[in-house]
């Protein structure tokens, strides 16, 4: 009989702490923080867990060679159970998103689900894999923005997508390690740029019946800057270690740091939109995620 602990390992349950912040950051940027936001965040978690289960189902033969300790190749979870769980979680996530946000949320949630499955079944092992996974996270941010001015959430979505590209690109070397140090050098440079850009409010065009229009740029705010710096230091340090020692263990540690450190970046994006306390709360998931990652691997 399949144990709950095995299913938690299958879906990388603690890694889901990195997910609600996508929706919150998108909602904050779009001016759409309201009673729908928690439900949309819940839908996002369900879709994330679905993607993790589908990923292991798709990789079951490869994992039998490279990661025999994973739930499916070890025999703790049957392939049919994993596939059924992935399908059920997908249906549940789409239902919750539609119920909470109506047609506008469904218009993002369904493409998000399709992109998740497309990554797991087709794109993961191709050159497009990191970009497709980045698209998943970008859509996740836009899911939170569907109740407001979604265009204003595009900078936040692109920021989270860029971070996701770096993590996914590194994750493709978790088993073999790095034969070439150019990749961790590139992802480290990307992380630095993301951290610099995250605290700065994007340019907003203003206008209206009584306005002649103009450009407004928000200030470099203290709390977003501190959160972005924390994100950069922790994730950047892990990538620097890969540059010094490109072993599989170091790569896995960097990927884990990228996953568990994402809430700090999401918190910075939320705080820069004006929701400072909520941004701090989102960032608070980062240390909790690191503790839980010691029990269940996020990668």
């Amino acid at each position: 009989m399949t144990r709950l602990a095995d299913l938690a390992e299958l879906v990388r349950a603690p890694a889901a702490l990195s997910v609600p912040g996508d929706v919150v950051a998108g909602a904050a940027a779009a001016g759409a923080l309201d009673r729908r936001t928690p439900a949309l965040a819940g839908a996002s978690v369900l879709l994330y867990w679905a993607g993790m289960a589908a990923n292991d189902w798709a990789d079951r033969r490869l994992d039998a060679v490279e990661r025999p300790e994973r739930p499916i190749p070890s025999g703790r979870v049957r392939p049919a159970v994993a596939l059924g769980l992935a399908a059920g979680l997908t249906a549940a996530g789409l239902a919750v998103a539609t119920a909470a946000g109506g047609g506008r949320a469904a218009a993002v949630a369904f493409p998000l689900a399709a992109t998740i499955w497309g990554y797991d079944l087709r794109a993961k092992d191709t050159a497009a894999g990191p970009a497709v996974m980045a698209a998943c996270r970008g859509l996740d941010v836009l899911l939170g923005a569907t109740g407001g001015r979604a265009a204003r959430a595009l900078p936040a979505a692109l920021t989270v997508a860029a971070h996701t590209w770096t993590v996914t690109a590194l994750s493709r070397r978790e088993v073999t390690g790095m034969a070439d140090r150019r990749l961790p050098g590139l992802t480290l440079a990307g992380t630095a740029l993301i951290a610099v850009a995250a605290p700065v409010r994007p340019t907003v065009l203003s206008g209206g019946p009584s306005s002649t229009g103009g450009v407004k740029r928000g200030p470099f705010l203290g709390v977003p800057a501190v959160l972005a710096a924390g994100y950069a230091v922790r994730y950047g340090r892990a990538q620097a270690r890969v540059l010094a020692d490109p072993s599989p263990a170091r790569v896995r540690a960097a990927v884990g740091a990228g996953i568990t450190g994402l809430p700090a970046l999401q918190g910075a994006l939320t705080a820069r939109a004006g929701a400072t306390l909520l941004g701090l709360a989102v960032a608070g998931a980062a240390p909790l995620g690191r503790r839980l990652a010691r029990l269940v691997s996020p990668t």
Side-chain angles (χ1 to χ4, degrees):
M1 184 175 180
T2 304
R3 299 184 306 158
L4 185 60
D6 296 327
L7 295 178
E9 183 180 349
L10 178 74
V11 301
R12 284 81 153 175
L17 287 172
S18 72
V19 177
D22 288 344
V23 170
V24 172
L33 284 169
D34 56 26
R35 59 182 178 79
R36 293 169 293 189
T37 304
L40 291 174
S44 176
V45 169
L46 292 171
L47 292 174
Y48 180 87
W49 281 339
M52 292 296 101
N55 176 78
D56 270 24
W57 178 82
D59 279 356
R60 62 193 184 281
R61 294 183 179 87
L62 180 63
D63 284 346
V65 176
E66 296 182 345
R67 295 185 175 185
E69 74 281 359
R70 290 294 302 159
I72 295 177
S74 68
R76 290 177 287 131
V77 175
R78 291 186 294 111
V81 171
L83 182 60
L85 181 64
L89 288 169
T90 299
L94 293 173
V96 171
T98 303
R104 291 186 66 183
V108 176
F110 276 83
L112 171 57
T115 306
I116 290 170
W117 280 86
Y119 173 82
D120 287 334
L121 300 181
R122 298 289 296 179
K124 178 170 49 183
D125 296 324
T126 71
V132 175
M133 180 55 73
C136 290
R137 282 289 192 166
L139 286 169
D140 206 30
V141 174
L142 295 178
L143 178 63
T146 51
R149 302 180 68 175
R152 291 192 170 185
L154 283 173
L158 291 173
T159 300
V160 172
H163 164 79
T164 303
W165 186 94
T166 69
V167 177
T168 308
L170 289 171
S171 72
R172 292 155 74 94
R173 300 292 183 269
E174 285 184 300
V175 175
T176 62
M178 295 286 178
D180 188 336
R181 286 179 169 84
R182 284 179 295 182
L183 177 59
L186 178 62
T187 62
L188 181 56
T191 297
L193 290 174
I194 291 166
V196 169
V200 182
R201 285 181 182 167
T203 299
V204 177
L205 295 175
S206 62
S210 59
S211 170
T212 58
V215 177
K216 295 182 179 179
R217 181 178 295 276
F220 190 86
L221 300 176
V223 170
V226 170
L227 294 178
Y231 152 80
V233 168
R234 188 163 190 89
Y235 184 32
R237 185 167 52 194
Q239 293 171 85
R241 288 171 178 161
V242 174
L243 280 171
D245 173 16
S247 65
R250 289 292 193 191
V251 175
R252 285 193 294 271
V255 172
I259 294 172
T260 60
L262 178 55
L265 177 61
Q266 295 163 334
L269 296 172
T270 302
R272 87 175 184 189
T276 304
L277 292 179
L278 185 56
L280 290 170
V282 169
L288 178 58
R290 288 193 292 271
R291 292 189 182 94
L292 292 176
R294 297 169 189 165
L295 303 175
V296 178
S297 173
T299 69

